[in-house]
Amino acid sequence: MSHKRIPKRKAAIAAGGVMALGAAAILLPDAGASQDGASDDAAAAPRTLSATDAPDLASQLAGLLGEAFAGSYYDSENRRLVVNVVADDGNDVVARAQKAGAAVREVDNSMTELAAGARTLRARAAVPGTSWAVDPRTNRILVTADSTVTGDKWDRLQSTVRSLGSGMATIKKSAGTFKTFASGGDAVFASGARCSLGFNVTAGDGTPAFLTAGHCGVAAGQWSDAQGGQPIATVDQAVFPGEGDFALVRYDDPATEAPSEVDLGDRAVAISRAAEATVGQEVFRMGSTTGLADGQVLGLDATVNYPEGTVTGLIQTDVCAEPGDSGGSMFTEDGLAIGLTSGGSGDCASGGETFFQPVTTALEAVGATLGAVGGTGGAGGETGTGEEAGGQDAGGEEAGAGAGHGAEDASGPTPAH
């Protein structure tokens, strides 16, 4: 489904023109039920939380518990936040976490130790085709190697993991190959490349813009909403590889209306604000190639070693993606903007891993706010839209609106699913 840009009117270059058959076709209206707060008399019992409320409690407990905090994740079946703590005999961190409403689990590995393990991996085993992220559900570092990691590279990775000590990390093999996919959201094109728009934003000077993948932003400076069409937007900032995979692309016409929503093809999901991801959280991705797909957050602060270089600070998920989805939106059913599609392995037939750039980090880095200029979004203008996406990718197919993967670029890497 094609979404045309109409300056000075509602420009619904919204996220997701193509519906993925059989993959998260419906966003349940009551899935993000509001929090059922526990009574004061039952302060030690885990609170019933929505996935939307869990990140806020996790952030509060991270500050409250300090070095004893060892990560957290959302238990969607029981609708509660599980917090890992490293407890000494003389402290009361377990009681404090329980009083705050979390389900508490005592673990061996602290966040400091896990972070040190990740630094060791970066120093000794940062070969293309590898990734790692902290998995709070196992209290270990989850190390993944794609199909290209063989021979000496595989031996080096295994040796490095063993050097971390027993119980610190696990390795798994991925059948696919880590790569970027330059498509997403509503399709955007540039010199034979195609990407997806992630979320519409307001730039620091008050003009309309959108976020997409950084590997799309470094592939071309100007983007069109039609293959071979006139440019409608120009890259302002782009980061890839390095500390993220994100780009800010400004609309050339300052009167462009950029609504805060993700277009699902037959309807739109209003985006209210940006939010941090939580392990265990259910998320949705919209892409130009595969449409709507869903899955769970598996790890945070992930490091991915793409052929083009290392990218840090990503979100690891089991959401599928394919070429043409890069830059596209990852969001929740109740309208929280979570991520921008970066890359991964696999496809929507066999599955795989997909990594996303956190929206909160991208907004802070480029000095933008989520949503349209003077729009009606969440507080503080943090409204997100999944309209036009910019990015790189080869191929002439239209990318799905909002969030998703990018199509492969004939002259370079395939943007992440």
Side-chain angles (χ1 to χ4, degrees), residues 300-311:
L300 304 178
D301 197 20
T303 294
V304 185
N305 296 295
Y306 292 124
E308 301 80 22
T310 298
V311 179

Side-chain angles (χ1 to χ4, degrees), residues 6 24 35 107 109 179 221 235 276 313 357 361 373:
I6 308 175
Q35 169 183 326
V107 296
N109 298 321
K179 55 186 179 290
V235 175
E276 301 288 346
Q357 164 67 46
T361 305
V373 178

Side-chain angles (χ1 to χ4, degrees), residues 215-315:
H215 63 262
C216 297
V218 300
Q222 291 186 304
W223 292 86
S224 170
D225 57 356
Q227 188 175 18
Q230 292 297 311
I232 63 163
T234 301
V235 175
D236 181 80
Q237 303 176 51
V239 174
F240 179 84
E243 297 182 357
D245 184 4
F246 57 89
L248 176 70
V249 187
R250 293 176 184 266
Y251 290 108
D252 295 336
D253 184 349
T256 297
E257 292 189 27
S260 187
E261 60 190 27
V262 174
D263 179 12
L264 304 183
D266 60 345
R267 59 200 172 94
V269 174
I271 299 298
S272 61
R273 63 185 177 91
E276 301 288 346
T278 300
V279 171
Q281 180 180 33
E282 182 182 22
V283 289
F284 296 84
R285 175 201 51 74
M286 196 65 199
S288 62
T289 299
T290 55
L292 185 66
D294 68 341
Q296 281 196 351
V297 174
L298 301 180
L300 304 178
D301 197 20
T303 294
V304 185
N305 296 295
Y306 292 124
E308 301 80 22
T310 298
V311 179
T312 60
L314 301 182
I315 302 166

